[in-house]
Every structure is written in structure tokens, then in C-alpha cells.
Amino acid sequence: MKNLLISDFDGTLYFHDEAIIPQINIEAVNKWRQQGNLFVLCSGRDVHSLMHEVNNQKLSYDFVICNNGGTIFDKNLKLIKSFPLNKIQLEKLVHSDIAKESWHILFSSAEKMRTTINSPKSQLLKYFESEKYKNQDIIQKISVEQALAEMNVIQISLAYETEEIANNYAKRINSEFEGAFLANMNLNCIDICAKGINKAQGVKELLNLQKDKYFEQVLTIGDAQNDVPMIKEFEGYSLNSATMHAKNVATKLYDSVGEMLLDNL
């Protein structure tokens, strides 16, 4: 009988300060898969941004859940499920004060990621200014009108000065726009998905796609606010270095994904 592990990427499996996946995590994932278990990456990122980091690491995986559950890919990065945003309500949202006050409007589809830049404070400027991302094709600038016309949008991401401001806008996003969206909070950022779509639902959709298989255990681990739904849903784990949002709902805390995996082998 197989077990299934779903791990968040940024701040859980991978750490930006050193730009690496710690060796203990890679070795534990490899051992986990060698014993016939499945490993799933689960991120708020789009697949192209995620793979830009993953491809530099010696990491194997069986499925990839991106856009907070909005897209699901197999190990060959073939799209097997997606949940596009309602186009009518999306147009209303991106022209509202909620979007106009954001540092950027980041549009993600299954094929590409594009963004507006509304403020010099936008953390997305690194993709255009950092040597690390020089000549990258991860993200390009676009107008709102171009994005609406050219993209089948799965997720948009907004960013604000403080977490409090973001939280207030998230409440409006969830209550307005005829209930078309779910705002997934992550510190001062909001990832906006289709109604009902978050990481927990993404995992459930993957399980439904694999309903011919029986998993003895479904393990989840994450470090941030957008990981909370899947941690709660599957009585999952978090890290000692995680945010309090994740720690408060975790069954157990570990120092690393590797430590958690070895504890469950």
C-alpha cells in the first residue's frame, strides 16, 4: 500500500536565503519514493516559476499542484486539471480599487505568468532587475487589457503594504463578486483562485484523479497561511521555522521535511 506526501515548496522544502533544497530533504524524498510512495509538490506559484527553482535541484516528484490548487500536473508537467477564474467577475475585480491599490496584478494561466507593476515596492521587480533572473522567460510585463484578452487566467495575485490591509481586501474579495473567488492569504499577499479552490481542495482533486489507488496515509506539510487548509484537512505537519498560522493547526512540528518523512517511513 502506498503513502502520499504533499509538501509546500517555498519556506518548507526550499529556502530562499541559500537558494537550495537542503540535502536531508532531497535524500528523504528519494528514499520515500524508492519505497513505492508518491511525492507531490504543492505551491501557490505557477508551474513555470516553480520549475525554475526545482530544475536546479536533484528532486524527483510524481505530481505538481500549483496556483494554490488551481492547476494539477503529472510528473511530465502535463496539465491534468485546472480551475479557471470567472471571466466576467475577473474583469470587475481587476478594474476595482482592490486591484488598483495592489503593488502589482500577477496573472497566472497554465501556460504563462504575466504581471502589471503598479508600485516600486512590488517584489516581482526582482524578475526584471536581479542578475539571477536575467534573460528569464518566467514572467513578462503586460497590461490588464492584454491579460484579459490573451490568457485563460487560473489565479491572480495581489500585494499590499501590510497583512492587515491584505486581510481586509481578502474579506471583500470573498464577499463581493457574486462569490466567484476564494482569496488565499499569505502574509501581505493575496492569491485569488476560483471559488472553493485552495491547497486542500487541490489535494482532494488529485486524490479523486487517483481514486483507483489506495493510499494508507496522506501526509501534508507547509509553513504559511495558504498551507493552513491542507494542514487542517489532513491533520498535517509544519516546521519549527513556520509562521504561527501554520504552527497553530499542525499535528506536529519538525525541523525539516526530511525529518518528517524519516519519522513516517
Side-chain angles (χ1 to χ4, degrees):
M1 291 179 286
K2 295 181 179 180
N3 297 315
L4 183 69
L5 168 67
I6 300 96
S7 175
D8 170 56
F9 188 71
D10 296 285
T12 302
L13 192 71
Y14 169 88
F15 296 90
H16 289 269
D17 291 346
E18 300 177 358
I20 62 167
I21 299 174
Q23 194 62 28
I24 185 176
N25 292 347
I26 293 175
E27 290 177 358
V29 168
N30 289 339
K31 187 173 182 180
W32 174 263
R33 295 183 74 245
Q34 286 165 7
Q35 294 191 13
N37 303 307
L38 300 186
F39 174 66
V40 181
L41 288 168
C42 187
S43 177
R45 293 189 189 218
D46 93 307
V47 70
H48 307 290
S49 170
L50 180 62
M51 287 302 120
H52 181 79
E53 307 295 352
V54 172
N55 289 340
N56 295 323
Q57 316 286 332
K58 295 180 180 179
L59 182 72
S60 299
Y61 49 83
D62 298 286
F63 294 95
V64 180
I65 299 172
C66 287
N67 305 118
N68 289 292
T71 50
I72 304 174
F73 300 84
D74 67 14
K75 63 181 178 181
N76 298 313
L77 301 182
K78 177 183 177 182
L79 181 68
I80 53 178
K81 190 81 173 181
S82 67
F83 300 90
L85 298 180
N86 179 292
K87 292 184 178 181
I88 294 174
Q89 296 304 321
L90 174 60
E91 185 169 5
K92 292 179 182 178
L93 173 57
V94 296
H95 287 110
S96 73
D97 62 305
I98 297 171
K100 290 177 180 178
E101 292 298 320
S102 172
W103 292 348
H104 55 249
I105 308 173
L106 175 62
F107 297 85
S108 295
S109 70
E111 295 79 26
K112 59 187 177 182
M113 186 168 66
R114 298 292 184 260
T115 192
T116 67
I117 299 292
N118 303 339
S119 168
K121 295 179 180 179
S122 171
Q123 59 268 50
L124 298 181
L125 285 171
K126 68 181 180 183
Y127 288 110
F128 306 102
E129 299 173 352
S130 170
E131 189 66 25
K132 176 182 177 182
Y133 299 104
K134 188 176 181 180
N135 300 321
Q136 56 79 29
D137 192 36
I138 303 169
I139 183 174
Q140 300 296 333
K141 293 180 183 177
I142 199 171
S143 70
V144 167
E145 288 71 24
Q146 283 178 299
L148 292 174
E150 299 173 9
M151 299 176 67
N152 187 23
V153 182
I154 303 291
Q155 174 178 281
I156 68 167
S157 300
L158 309 176
Y160 302 93
E161 190 72 42
T162 67
E163 186 173 346
E164 181 181 6
I165 293 171
N167 190 53
N168 288 334
Y169 280 132
K171 290 177 181 177
R172 284 185 56 194
I173 292 165
N174 287 333
S175 62
E176 300 175 17
F177 307 101
E178 299 183 10
F181 306 123
L182 177 61
N184 292 284
M185 282 286 298
N186 195 359
L187 300 176
N188 66 320
C189 300
I190 311 172
D191 294 331
I192 302 161
C193 297
K195 180 181 179 180
I197 299 300
N198 56 24
K199 289 189 177 184
Q201 188 59 35
V203 175
K204 289 180 181 179
E205 293 291 341
L206 177 59
L207 289 172
N208 188 53
L209 291 167
Q210 297 292 299
K211 58 187 176 185
D212 59 325
K213 297 181 176 66
Y214 172 72
F215 296 105
E216 186 175 3
Q217 293 185 91
V218 176
L219 308 178
T220 60
I221 186 167
D223 76 303
Q225 194 169 355
N226 63 334
D227 297 309
V228 167
M230 74 172 183
I231 296 173
K232 289 177 67 175
E233 181 72 28
F234 297 95
E235 298 182 356
Y237 307 110
S238 190
L239 301 180
N240 288 311
S241 58
T243 65
M244 291 308 298
H245 296 291
K247 286 182 178 181
N248 286 342
V249 298
T251 302
K252 188 174 179 179
L253 301 178
Y254 290 93
D255 287 331
S256 68
V257 173
E259 182 186 19
M260 184 276 285
L261 273 178
L262 295 174
D263 193 33
N264 284 277
L265 278 171

